[in-house]
Amino acid sequence: MLIKNKITRPFGPAGTTAGITIFIIGAAYAFFSLVGILLIIIGAFIGFTTEQSFIDTEKRRIKFSNVLFGIFPAGKWIDLNDEMTIGIERSRMGFRTYSRGMRINDTVIKDVRIVLYDSKGKRTGALKKCKTLNSANKDLEDLGRSLKIKVKQ
């Protein structure tokens, strides 16, 4: 079974909003000029690109991927071995934007992520994003059972 998990948007909340706005403006402007098509492409890239993980439980493999334009996944499959483990990490990402009046808008996104570690204990990538520690613990046990992989406590 293939499981898709959306992890984050690489351009942050302000970049995503700006990209979607540029996409909409480009769609309206495309009727009058070819510059609108360029705006559509730039806006679609910034607004719809996401970071996702694909988990194939039957073949025991994982794909960390950037989904370009929200359509095209770019990444390669990683086969799981018995030395790999999964665990929980807290994530805190901050984004700063400035308005035209130089006002600062800081956005902090806190969540809990289920992460894959290689045989040396090095972080490979995030498998799933959860809002609370309790839901992450439950999902960690479920993923450990379905992938037949050790759980790091």
Side-chain angles (χ1 to χ4, degrees):
M1 181 168 86
L2 186 66
I3 303 168
K4 297 179 186 178
N5 294 313
K6 188 181 290 187
I7 306 298
T8 186
R9 294 191 180 264
F11 299 105
T16 301
T17 304
I20 292 171
T21 304
I22 291 170
F23 178 80
I24 292 170
I25 291 170
Y29 199 69
F31 293 111
F32 305 109
S33 175
L34 292 176
V35 175
I37 295 172
L38 180 65
L39 291 176
I40 289 173
I41 293 169
I42 292 170
F45 180 75
I46 294 172
F48 300 121
T49 298
T50 60
E51 183 180 319
Q52 292 183 357
S53 67
F54 297 94
I55 303 169
D56 189 356
T57 57
E58 293 171 357
K59 296 182 181 177
R60 288 192 69 208
R61 61 185 187 162
I62 293 172
K63 182 179 185 181
F64 302 109
S65 175
N66 285 322
V67 182
L68 306 174
F69 299 99
I71 301 171
F72 308 109
K76 63 180 186 175
W77 288 99
I78 298 172
D79 292 323
L80 297 176
N81 57 32
D82 294 332
E83 298 170 356
M84 293 182 167
T85 59
I86 56 174
I88 294 177
E89 283 185 1
R90 293 182 188 264
S91 174
R92 184 177 186 268
M93 295 178 64
F95 300 96
R96 176 172 281 184
T97 55
Y98 295 94
S99 69
R100 288 182 65 184
M102 293 305 292
R103 288 189 176 178
I104 298 172
N105 182 18
D106 289 331
T107 305
V108 177
I109 299 173
K110 296 178 184 177
D111 55 32
V112 181
R113 296 182 184 196
I114 299 173
V115 178
L116 177 69
Y117 298 98
D118 64 2
S119 59
K120 298 175 185 174
K122 184 179 173 187
R123 182 183 193 272
T124 304
L127 296 175
K128 188 170 186 176
K129 180 171 77 169
C130 303
K131 291 185 178 184
T132 64
L133 188 60
N134 291 336
S135 65
N137 282 324
K138 181 181 176 286
D139 291 341
L140 179 71
E141 295 298 326
D142 292 341
L143 271 176
R145 270 194 306 272
S146 64
L147 291 174
K148 299 175 185 120
I149 195 168
K150 289 183 252 178
V151 175
K152 184 177 181 181
Q153 294 296 337

